[in-house]
């Protein structure tokens, strides 16, 4: 399965991708409260997608994340991306 094949909702299909970059997502309106980890992913067809790991699961996965590494997901939840972006320092 590739990113273009994903539809919103729960999926148990196998998805392979490379992690390009990841970093912390914080709520600047609430004193920098930690929201989770933002991920930039690329599949074997060269399609780029954003991923997110919520704060309640971030510490489980953070030690295993490495930019440039290839991962496989078997159970995941997909949603449509929000089209509102803010630029922050």
């Amino acid at each position: 399965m590739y990113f273009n094949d994903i539809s919103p909702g729960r999926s148990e299909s196998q998805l392979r991708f490379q992690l390009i970059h990841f970093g912390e997502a914080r709520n600047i309106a609430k004193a920098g409260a930690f929201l989770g980890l933002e991920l930039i992913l690329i599949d074997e067809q060269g399609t780029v997608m954003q991923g997110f790991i919520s704060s309640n699961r971030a510490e489980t996965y953070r030690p295993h994340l490495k930019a440039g590494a290839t991962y496989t997901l078997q159970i995941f939840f997909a949603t449509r991306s929000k089209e509102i972006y803010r630029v922050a320092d």
Side-chain angles (χ1 to χ4, degrees), residues 16-83:
R16 263 177 69 93
F17 60 87
Q18 184 176 21
L19 176 63
I20 298 173
H21 177 77
F22 70 97
E24 292 185 352
R26 295 194 170 270
N27 185 340
I28 59 172
K30 294 186 178 181
F34 179 63
L35 298 174
L37 298 172
E38 291 280 348
L39 313 168
I40 304 296
L41 318 169
I42 188 168
D43 69 7
E44 293 171 342
Q45 292 182 328
T47 306
V48 177
M49 181 180 276
Q50 176 186 356
F52 184 77
I53 300 172
S54 64
S55 60
N56 61 336
R57 295 181 179 204
E59 296 312 316
T60 300
Y61 295 104
R62 187 193 312 247
H64 306 287
L65 296 176
K66 182 178 178 182
T70 301
Y71 297 92
T72 303
L73 283 178
Q74 291 183 327
I75 300 174
F76 57 91
F77 189 85
T79 60
R80 296 198 183 280
S81 64
K82 296 178 183 176
E83 303 210 6

